[in-house]
PDB file of all heavy atoms in Angstrom:
ATOM      1  N   ARG W   1       4.276  -6.256 -12.153  1.00 81.00           N
ATOM      2  CA  ARG W   1       5.190  -5.154 -11.804  1.00 81.00           C
ATOM      3  C   ARG W   1       4.882  -3.906 -12.615  1.00 81.00           C
ATOM      4  O   ARG W   1       4.842  -2.794 -12.074  1.00 81.00           O
ATOM      5  CB  ARG W   1       6.613  -5.607 -12.049  1.00 81.00           C
ATOM      6  CG  ARG W   1       7.658  -4.559 -11.653  1.00 81.00           C
ATOM      7  CD  ARG W   1       9.053  -5.124 -11.896  1.00 81.00           C
ATOM      8  NE  ARG W   1      10.085  -4.136 -11.553  1.00 81.00           N
ATOM      9  CZ  ARG W   1      10.532  -3.922 -10.320  1.00 81.00           C
ATOM     10  NH1 ARG W   1      10.061  -4.639  -9.321  1.00 81.00           N
ATOM     11  NH2 ARG W   1      11.465  -3.032 -10.103  1.00 81.00           N
ATOM     12  N   MET W   2       4.624  -4.086 -13.904  1.00 82.00           N
ATOM     13  CA  MET W   2       4.334  -2.924 -14.749  1.00 82.00           C
ATOM     14  C   MET W   2       2.994  -2.304 -14.352  1.00 82.00           C
ATOM     15  O   MET W   2       2.851  -1.082 -14.350  1.00 82.00           O
ATOM     16  CB  MET W   2       4.297  -3.352 -16.217  1.00 82.00           C
ATOM     17  CG  MET W   2       4.117  -2.216 -17.210  1.00 82.00           C
ATOM     18  SD  MET W   2       5.354  -0.906 -17.041  1.00 82.00           S
ATOM     19  CE  MET W   2       6.793  -1.811 -17.631  1.00 82.00           C
ATOM     20  N   TRP W   3       2.023  -3.127 -14.038  1.00 81.00           N
ATOM     21  CA  TRP W   3       0.722  -2.656 -13.575  1.00 81.00           C
ATOM     22  C   TRP W   3       0.887  -1.797 -12.296  1.00 81.00           C
ATOM     23  O   TRP W   3       0.298  -0.738 -12.169  1.00 81.00           O
ATOM     24  CB  TRP W   3      -0.212  -3.846 -13.289  1.00 81.00           C
ATOM     25  CG  TRP W   3      -1.691  -3.532 -13.389  1.00 81.00           C
ATOM     26  CD1 TRP W   3      -2.308  -2.442 -12.801  1.00 81.00           C
ATOM     27  CD2 TRP W   3      -2.687  -4.242 -14.052  1.00 81.00           C
ATOM     28  NE1 TRP W   3      -3.640  -2.466 -13.103  1.00 81.00           N
ATOM     29  CE2 TRP W   3      -3.921  -3.583 -13.852  1.00 81.00           C
ATOM     30  CE3 TRP W   3      -2.706  -5.428 -14.803  1.00 81.00           C
ATOM     31  CZ2 TRP W   3      -5.117  -4.046 -14.349  1.00 81.00           C
ATOM     32  CZ3 TRP W   3      -3.868  -5.889 -15.321  1.00 81.00           C
ATOM     33  CH2 TRP W   3      -5.082  -5.205 -15.098  1.00 81.00           C
ATOM     34  N   SER W   4       1.721  -2.285 -11.393  1.00 82.00           N
ATOM     35  CA  SER W   4       1.926  -1.560 -10.139  1.00 82.00           C
ATOM     36  C   SER W   4       2.655  -0.233 -10.337  1.00 82.00           C
ATOM     37  O   SER W   4       2.486   0.670  -9.550  1.00 82.00           O
ATOM     38  CB  SER W   4       2.767  -2.439  -9.166  1.00 82.00           C
ATOM     39  OG  SER W   4       2.046  -3.642  -8.845  1.00 82.00           O
ATOM     40  N   LYS W   5       3.473  -0.177 -11.378  1.00 83.00           N
ATOM     41  CA  LYS W   5       4.137   1.116 -11.679  1.00 83.00           C
ATOM     42  C   LYS W   5       3.180   2.136 -12.245  1.00 83.00           C
ATOM     43  O   LYS W   5       3.306   3.332 -12.005  1.00 83.00           O
ATOM     44  CB  LYS W   5       5.251   0.882 -12.696  1.00 83.00           C
ATOM     45  CG  LYS W   5       6.554   0.379 -12.109  1.00 83.00           C
ATOM     46  CD  LYS W   5       7.653   0.378 -13.145  1.00 83.00           C
ATOM     47  CE  LYS W   5       8.997  -0.013 -12.568  1.00 83.00           C
ATOM     48  NZ  LYS W   5      10.064   0.009 -13.579  1.00 83.00           N
ATOM     49  N   LYS W   6       2.161   1.648 -12.943  1.00 88.00           N
ATOM     50  CA  LYS W   6       1.238   2.557 -13.591  1.00 88.00           C
ATOM     51  C   LYS W   6       0.013   2.882 -12.745  1.00 88.00           C
ATOM     52  O   LYS W   6      -0.525   4.021 -12.862  1.00 88.00           O
ATOM     53  CB  LYS W   6       0.748   1.923 -14.929  1.00 88.00           C
ATOM     54  CG  LYS W   6       1.829   1.854 -16.014  1.00 88.00           C
ATOM     55  CD  LYS W   6       1.278   1.150 -17.254  1.00 88.00           C
ATOM     56  CE  LYS W   6       2.264   1.147 -18.388  1.00 88.00           C
ATOM     57  NZ  LYS W   6       2.503   2.483 -18.947  1.00 88.00           N
ATOM     58  N   VAL W   7      -0.410   1.923 -11.920  1.00 92.00           N
ATOM     59  CA  VAL W   7      -1.691   2.063 -11.225  1.00 92.00           C
ATOM     60  C   VAL W   7      -1.519   1.946  -9.721  1.00 92.00           C
ATOM     61  O   VAL W   7      -0.924   0.979  -9.214  1.00 92.00           O
ATOM     62  CB  VAL W   7      -2.723   0.985 -11.701  1.00 92.00           C
ATOM     63  CG1 VAL W   7      -4.074   1.219 -11.061  1.00 92.00           C
ATOM     64  CG2 VAL W   7      -2.844   1.023 -13.233  1.00 92.00           C
ATOM     65  N   ALA W   8      -2.074   2.924  -8.994  1.00 92.00           N
ATOM     66  CA  ALA W   8      -2.112   2.846  -7.517  1.00 92.00           C
ATOM     67  C   ALA W   8      -3.570   2.867  -7.107  1.00 92.00           C
ATOM     68  O   ALA W   8      -4.419   3.501  -7.741  1.00 92.00           O
ATOM     69  CB  ALA W   8      -1.390   4.017  -6.889  1.00 92.00           C
ATOM     70  N   VAL W   9      -3.860   2.172  -5.980  1.00 92.00           N
ATOM     71  CA  VAL W   9      -5.254   2.053  -5.579  1.00 92.00           C
ATOM     72  C   VAL W   9      -5.318   2.238  -4.035  1.00 92.00           C
ATOM     73  O   VAL W   9      -4.438   1.760  -3.314  1.00 92.00           O
ATOM     74  CB  VAL W   9      -5.842   0.700  -6.000  1.00 92.00           C
ATOM     75  CG1 VAL W   9      -5.070  -0.472  -5.437  1.00 92.00           C
ATOM     76  CG2 VAL W   9      -7.318   0.605  -5.592  1.00 92.00           C
ATOM     77  N   VAL W  10      -6.349   2.921  -3.587  1.00 91.00           N
ATOM     78  CA  VAL W  10      -6.608   3.121  -2.161  1.00 91.00           C
ATOM     79  C   VAL W  10      -8.006   2.634  -1.883  1.00 91.00           C
ATOM     80  O   VAL W  10      -9.006   3.257  -2.386  1.00 91.00           O
ATOM     81  CB  VAL W  10      -6.481   4.592  -1.721  1.00 91.00           C
ATOM     82  CG1 VAL W  10      -6.760   4.720  -0.231  1.00 91.00           C
ATOM     83  CG2 VAL W  10      -5.112   5.118  -2.068  1.00 91.00           C
ATOM     84  N   PHE W  11      -8.131   1.520  -1.187  1.00 89.00           N
ATOM     85  CA  PHE W  11      -9.443   0.976  -0.888  1.00 89.00           C
ATOM     86  C   PHE W  11      -9.976   1.526   0.438  1.00 89.00           C
ATOM     87  O   PHE W  11      -9.205   2.028   1.282  1.00 89.00           O
ATOM     88  CB  PHE W  11      -9.416  -0.553  -0.824  1.00 89.00           C
ATOM     89  CG  PHE W  11      -9.237  -1.211  -2.166  1.00 89.00           C
ATOM     90  CD1 PHE W  11      -8.131  -1.926  -2.500  1.00 89.00           C
ATOM     91  CD2 PHE W  11     -10.231  -1.078  -3.119  1.00 89.00           C
ATOM     92  CE1 PHE W  11      -7.982  -2.539  -3.727  1.00 89.00           C
ATOM     93  CE2 PHE W  11     -10.120  -1.675  -4.352  1.00 89.00           C
ATOM     94  CZ  PHE W  11      -8.972  -2.395  -4.669  1.00 89.00           C
ATOM     95  N   GLN W  12     -11.276   1.397   0.643  1.00 80.00           N
ATOM     96  CA  GLN W  12     -11.901   1.905   1.830  1.00 80.00           C
ATOM     97  C   GLN W  12     -11.460   1.105   3.062  1.00 80.00           C
ATOM     98  O   GLN W  12     -11.229   1.648   4.126  1.00 80.00           O
ATOM     99  CB  GLN W  12     -13.414   1.861   1.724  1.00 80.00           C
ATOM    100  CG  GLN W  12     -14.171   2.662   2.757  1.00 80.00           C
ATOM    101  CD  GLN W  12     -15.657   2.659   2.483  1.00 80.00           C
ATOM    102  OE1 GLN W  12     -16.123   2.088   1.508  1.00 80.00           O
ATOM    103  NE2 GLN W  12     -16.391   3.361   3.319  1.00 80.00           N
ATOM    104  N   GLU W  13     -11.304  -0.191   2.892  1.00 76.00           N
ATOM    105  CA  GLU W  13     -10.861  -1.061   3.970  1.00 76.00           C
ATOM    106  C   GLU W  13      -9.328  -0.952   4.048  1.00 76.00           C
ATOM    107  O   GLU W  13      -8.648  -1.215   3.082  1.00 76.00           O
ATOM    108  CB  GLU W  13     -11.280  -2.498   3.791  1.00 76.00           C
ATOM    109  CG  GLU W  13     -12.745  -2.699   3.559  1.00 76.00           C
ATOM    110  CD  GLU W  13     -13.200  -2.463   2.117  1.00 76.00           C
ATOM    111  OE1 GLU W  13     -12.313  -2.379   1.267  1.00 76.00           O
ATOM    112  OE2 GLU W  13     -14.410  -2.352   1.908  1.00 76.00           O
ATOM    113  N   VAL W  14      -8.786  -0.591   5.188  1.00 73.00           N
ATOM    114  CA  VAL W  14      -7.358  -0.459   5.364  1.00 73.00           C
ATOM    115  C   VAL W  14      -6.879  -1.564   6.337  1.00 73.00           C
ATOM    116  O   VAL W  14      -7.587  -2.035   7.203  1.00 73.00           O
ATOM    117  CB  VAL W  14      -6.942   0.913   5.937  1.00 73.00           C
ATOM    118  CG1 VAL W  14      -7.321   1.977   4.963  1.00 73.00           C
ATOM    119  CG2 VAL W  14      -7.540   1.148   7.294  1.00 73.00           C
ATOM    120  N   PRO W  15      -5.623  -2.030   6.139  1.00 73.00           N
ATOM    121  CA  PRO W  15      -5.063  -3.049   7.077  1.00 73.00           C
ATOM    122  C   PRO W  15      -5.110  -2.536   8.509  1.00 73.00           C
ATOM    123  O   PRO W  15      -4.830  -1.368   8.762  1.00 73.00           O
ATOM    124  CB  PRO W  15      -3.628  -3.243   6.583  1.00 73.00           C
ATOM    125  CG  PRO W  15      -3.617  -2.698   5.191  1.00 73.00           C
ATOM    126  CD  PRO W  15      -4.636  -1.616   5.132  1.00 73.00           C
ATOM    127  N   GLN W  16      -5.474  -3.370   9.448  1.00 70.00           N
ATOM    128  CA  GLN W  16      -5.652  -2.925  10.839  1.00 70.00           C
ATOM    129  C   GLN W  16      -4.408  -3.203  11.723  1.00 70.00           C
ATOM    130  O   GLN W  16      -4.185  -2.464  12.646  1.00 70.00           O
ATOM    131  CB  GLN W  16      -6.893  -3.602  11.424  1.00 70.00           C
ATOM    132  CG  GLN W  16      -8.172  -3.232  10.711  1.00 70.00           C
ATOM    133  CD  GLN W  16      -8.476  -1.746  10.771  1.00 70.00           C
ATOM    134  OE1 GLN W  16      -8.373  -1.117  11.833  1.00 70.00           O
ATOM    135  NE2 GLN W  16      -8.862  -1.168   9.661  1.00 70.00           N
ATOM    136  N   ASN W  17      -3.671  -4.225  11.426  1.00 73.00           N
ATOM    137  CA  ASN W  17      -2.658  -4.672  12.388  1.00 73.00           C
ATOM    138  C   ASN W  17      -1.246  -4.722  11.798  1.00 73.00           C
ATOM    139  O   ASN W  17      -0.454  -5.625  12.141  1.00 73.00           O
ATOM    140  CB  ASN W  17      -3.047  -6.060  12.966  1.00 73.00           C
ATOM    141  CG  ASN W  17      -4.376  -6.000  13.715  1.00 73.00           C
ATOM    142  OD1 ASN W  17      -4.568  -5.140  14.537  1.00 73.00           O
ATOM    143  ND2 ASN W  17      -5.252  -6.934  13.360  1.00 73.00           N
ATOM    144  N   LEU W  18      -0.918  -3.824  10.886  1.00 78.00           N
ATOM    145  CA  LEU W  18       0.398  -3.794  10.347  1.00 78.00           C
ATOM    146  C   LEU W  18       1.414  -3.386  11.442  1.00 78.00           C
ATOM    147  O   LEU W  18       1.256  -2.341  12.056  1.00 78.00           O
ATOM    148  CB  LEU W  18       0.471  -2.787   9.202  1.00 78.00           C
ATOM    149  CG  LEU W  18      -0.044  -3.222   7.818  1.00 78.00           C
ATOM    150  CD1 LEU W  18       0.081  -2.056   6.861  1.00 78.00           C
ATOM    151  CD2 LEU W  18       0.663  -4.480   7.315  1.00 78.00           C
ATOM    152  N   ASP W  19       2.414  -4.200  11.662  1.00 84.00           N
ATOM    153  CA  ASP W  19       3.434  -3.915  12.675  1.00 84.00           C
ATOM    154  C   ASP W  19       4.554  -3.097  12.046  1.00 84.00           C
ATOM    155  O   ASP W  19       5.750  -3.469  12.086  1.00 84.00           O
ATOM    156  CB  ASP W  19       3.951  -5.213  13.267  1.00 84.00           C
ATOM    157  CG  ASP W  19       4.759  -4.981  14.515  1.00 84.00           C
ATOM    158  OD1 ASP W  19       4.568  -3.910  15.156  1.00 84.00           O
ATOM    159  OD2 ASP W  19       5.626  -5.829  14.873  1.00 84.00           O
ATOM    160  N   LEU W  20       4.156  -1.965  11.438  1.00 92.00           N
ATOM    161  CA  LEU W  20       5.106  -1.052  10.757  1.00 92.00           C
ATOM    162  C   LEU W  20       4.785   0.372  11.165  1.00 92.00           C
ATOM    163  O   LEU W  20       3.665   0.706  11.533  1.00 92.00           O
ATOM    164  CB  LEU W  20       4.957  -1.189   9.231  1.00 92.00           C
ATOM    165  CG  LEU W  20       5.273  -2.535   8.604  1.00 92.00           C
ATOM    166  CD1 LEU W  20       4.825  -2.533   7.143  1.00 92.00           C
ATOM    167  CD2 LEU W  20       6.756  -2.888   8.702  1.00 92.00           C
ATOM    168  N   THR W  21       5.787   1.229  11.099  1.00 93.00           N
ATOM    169  CA  THR W  21       5.516   2.625  11.312  1.00 93.00           C
ATOM    170  C   THR W  21       4.780   3.217  10.083  1.00 93.00           C
ATOM    171  O   THR W  21       4.786   2.600   8.995  1.00 93.00           O
ATOM    172  CB  THR W  21       6.777   3.433  11.544  1.00 93.00           C
ATOM    173  OG1 THR W  21       7.564   3.416  10.306  1.00 93.00           O
ATOM    174  CG2 THR W  21       7.621   2.840  12.664  1.00 93.00           C
ATOM    175  N   SER W  22       4.208   4.390  10.272  1.00 92.00           N
ATOM    176  CA  SER W  22       3.495   5.021   9.164  1.00 92.00           C
ATOM    177  C   SER W  22       4.451   5.309   7.997  1.00 92.00           C
ATOM    178  O   SER W  22       4.073   5.091   6.827  1.00 92.00           O
ATOM    179  CB  SER W  22       2.862   6.359   9.641  1.00 92.00           C
ATOM    180  OG  SER W  22       1.972   6.097  10.664  1.00 92.00           O
ATOM    181  N   GLN W  23       5.681   5.710   8.279  1.00 93.00           N
ATOM    182  CA  GLN W  23       6.601   5.992   7.220  1.00 93.00           C
ATOM    183  C   GLN W  23       6.984   4.729   6.452  1.00 93.00           C
ATOM    184  O   GLN W  23       7.135   4.739   5.220  1.00 93.00           O
ATOM    185  CB  GLN W  23       7.883   6.636   7.794  1.00 93.00           C
ATOM    186  CG  GLN W  23       8.881   7.040   6.743  1.00 93.00           C
ATOM    187  CD  GLN W  23      10.022   7.860   7.303  1.00 93.00           C
ATOM    188  OE1 GLN W  23       9.839   8.554   8.293  1.00 93.00           O
ATOM    189  NE2 GLN W  23      11.193   7.787   6.697  1.00 93.00           N
ATOM    190  N   GLU W  24       7.102   3.603   7.172  1.00 92.00           N
ATOM    191  CA  GLU W  24       7.396   2.348   6.518  1.00 92.00           C
ATOM    192  C   GLU W  24       6.264   1.882   5.613  1.00 92.00           C
ATOM    193  O   GLU W  24       6.486   1.339   4.533  1.00 92.00           O
ATOM    194  CB  GLU W  24       7.698   1.299   7.571  1.00 92.00           C
ATOM    195  CG  GLU W  24       9.023   1.470   8.281  1.00 92.00           C
ATOM    196  CD  GLU W  24       9.225   0.532   9.487  1.00 92.00           C
ATOM    197  OE1 GLU W  24       8.176   0.099  10.077  1.00 92.00           O
ATOM    198  OE2 GLU W  24      10.386   0.291   9.854  1.00 92.00           O
ATOM    199  N   VAL W  25       5.038   2.180   6.010  1.00 92.00           N
ATOM    200  CA  VAL W  25       3.885   1.852   5.173  1.00 92.00           C
ATOM    201  C   VAL W  25       3.925   2.665   3.897  1.00 92.00           C
ATOM    202  O   VAL W  25       3.678   2.155   2.787  1.00 92.00           O
ATOM    203  CB  VAL W  25       2.567   2.068   5.969  1.00 92.00           C
ATOM    204  CG1 VAL W  25       1.359   1.906   5.001  1.00 92.00           C
ATOM    205  CG2 VAL W  25       2.421   1.077   7.099  1.00 92.00           C
ATOM    206  N   VAL W  26       4.181   3.961   4.018  1.00 93.00           N
ATOM    207  CA  VAL W  26       4.255   4.823   2.867  1.00 93.00           C
ATOM    208  C   VAL W  26       5.401   4.405   1.941  1.00 93.00           C
ATOM    209  O   VAL W  26       5.307   4.422   0.724  1.00 93.00           O
ATOM    210  CB  VAL W  26       4.388   6.326   3.251  1.00 93.00           C
ATOM    211  CG1 VAL W  26       4.533   7.227   2.031  1.00 93.00           C
ATOM    212  CG2 VAL W  26       3.187   6.750   4.109  1.00 93.00           C
ATOM    213  N   THR W  27       6.510   3.975   2.514  1.00 92.00           N
ATOM    214  CA  THR W  27       7.683   3.546   1.755  1.00 92.00           C
ATOM    215  C   THR W  27       7.348   2.352   0.878  1.00 92.00           C
ATOM    216  O   THR W  27       7.934   2.151  -0.186  1.00 92.00           O
ATOM    217  CB  THR W  27       8.875   3.243   2.674  1.00 92.00           C
ATOM    218  OG1 THR W  27       9.176   4.418   3.447  1.00 92.00           O
ATOM    219  CG2 THR W  27      10.121   2.806   1.890  1.00 92.00           C
ATOM    220  N   MET W  28       6.373   1.556   1.287  1.00 89.00           N
ATOM    221  CA  MET W  28       5.928   0.386   0.498  1.00 89.00           C
ATOM    222  C   MET W  28       5.483   0.828  -0.904  1.00 89.00           C
ATOM    223  O   MET W  28       5.525   0.038  -1.857  1.00 89.00           O
ATOM    224  CB  MET W  28       4.822  -0.357   1.231  1.00 89.00           C
ATOM    225  CG  MET W  28       5.297  -1.113   2.473  1.00 89.00           C
ATOM    226  SD  MET W  28       3.912  -1.687   3.476  1.00 89.00           S
ATOM    227  CE  MET W  28       3.181  -2.909   2.346  1.00 89.00           C
TER     228      MET W  28
END
């Protein structure tokens, strides 16, 4: 949890089939 608060990561491969809206993905 502490690591996630301090570090964010964006990988080249993105999830393809998330059944969520774009705003819901960002809210994650």
